[in-house]
C-alpha cells in the first residue's frame, strides 16, 4: 500500500501512488477551517517539519495561505483536542485517502495489573479511510505505530530522517 502517499482522482476512479507524503494540518483560521499541508514530510527532519508548520500557522492567522499551501495533500491530521474535543468523525477530503482526528489528553482512572485504580493519560484517536485504497488492517497497524511513537517519542525521532 502507498498509504499515506496515496490519493484518488476527483471522480474516485483512479488511485495515484505518490512518492511524497504531504501531510495536511487542519487549522482554525479567521477564514474558517483550512487544511494547508506540509510537503514532502518523508524527506524532512523534525525541525524542518516544525519550521514549516510554524510558517503555515503564521500565514493562516494572517489569512495569507496560498493555493500551493492548500493543495496536494495526501493525508490530514486534525487536532480536535486543541479545542477540547475527545472524539470526532473525520470526513475524507478527496483526493486524500485517510484522515486522523486526535482528541485532548485526559487523565482518567484505569485498573493496573494488580487491580488497583491508577491515573492514566489517554488520548483518543479517530480515523477515517477510503477502503478502496487503505484496508482496515493497514489503518490498525498505522494506529499502533502512532501509539508507540506517542508513548516513546525518542523512537519516533530515531526512525525519522
Amino acid at each position: 500500500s502507498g498509504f499515506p502517499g496515496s490519493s484518488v482522482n476527483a471522480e474516485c476512479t483512479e488511485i495515484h501512488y505518490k512518492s511524497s507524503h504531504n501531510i495536511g494540518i487542519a487549522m482554525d483560521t479567521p477564514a474558517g477551517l483550512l487544511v494547508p499541508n506540509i510537503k514532502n514530510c518523508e524527506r524532512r527532519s523534525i525541525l524542518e517539519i516544525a519550521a514549516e508548520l510554524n510558517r503555515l500557522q503564521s500565514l493562516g492567522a494572517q489569512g495569507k495561505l496560498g493555493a500551493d499551501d492548500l493543495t496536494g495533500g495526501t493525508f490530514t491530521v486534525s487536532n480536535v483536542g486543541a479545542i477540547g474535543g475527545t472524539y470526532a468523525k473525520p470526513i475524507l477530503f478527496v483526493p486524500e485517502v485517510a484522515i486522523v482526528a486526535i482528541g485532548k489528553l485526559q487523565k482518567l482512572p484505569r485498573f493496573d495489573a494488580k487491580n488497583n485504580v491508577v491515573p492514566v493519560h489517554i488520548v483518543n484517536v479517530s480515523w477515517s479511510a477510503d477502503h478502496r485504497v487503505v484496508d482496515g488492517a493497514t489503518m490498525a497497524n498505522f494506529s499502533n505505530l502512532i501509539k508507540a511513537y506517542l508513548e516513546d517519542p525518542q523512537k519516533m525521532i530515531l526512525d525519522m530522517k
Side-chain angles (χ1 to χ4, degrees), residues 48-121:
E48 292 168 330
I49 290 170
E52 179 64 359
L53 178 58
N54 287 337
R55 183 188 76 81
L56 293 169
Q57 287 173 324
S58 176
L59 290 174
Q62 298 169 42
K64 295 182 178 180
L65 288 165
D68 188 56
D69 297 319
L70 297 167
T71 57
T74 58
F75 179 84
T76 292
V77 176
S78 180
N79 182 3
V80 298
I83 56 173
T86 54
Y87 288 98
K89 186 175 181 183
I91 306 297
L92 289 175
F93 179 68
V94 173
E96 296 180 15
V97 297
I99 182 172
V100 62
I102 301 170
K104 71 177 182 175
L105 178 67
Q106 301 176 87
K107 192 173 188 179
L108 299 171
R110 294 294 185 260
F111 291 98
D112 68 10
K114 296 181 180 178
N115 225 16
N116 298 310
V117 176
V118 296
V120 175
H121 289 95

Side-chain angles (χ1 to χ4, degrees), residues 21-23 37-41 44 52 68-72:
H21 297 171
N22 300 335
I23 308 301
N37 59 82
I38 301 170
K39 305 277 196 276
N40 302 307
C41 286
R44 295 178 183 248
E52 179 64 359
D68 188 56
D69 297 319
L70 297 167
T71 57

Side-chain angles (χ1 to χ4, degrees), residues 106-159:
Q106 301 176 87
K107 192 173 188 179
L108 299 171
R110 294 294 185 260
F111 291 98
D112 68 10
K114 296 181 180 178
N115 225 16
N116 298 310
V117 176
V118 296
V120 175
H121 289 95
I122 294 182
V123 172
N124 295 308
V125 177
S126 306
W127 299 94
S128 291
D130 185 332
H131 285 276
R132 295 171 297 180
V133 181
V134 184
D135 62 56
T138 299
M139 287 304 301
N141 288 329
F142 186 66
S143 186
N144 288 335
L145 177 63
I146 297 302
K147 178 181 182 285
Y149 284 158
L150 291 172
E151 291 173 344
D152 185 3
Q154 292 177 354
K155 177 171 178 19
M156 177 180 64
I157 291 169
L158 290 173
D159 285 350

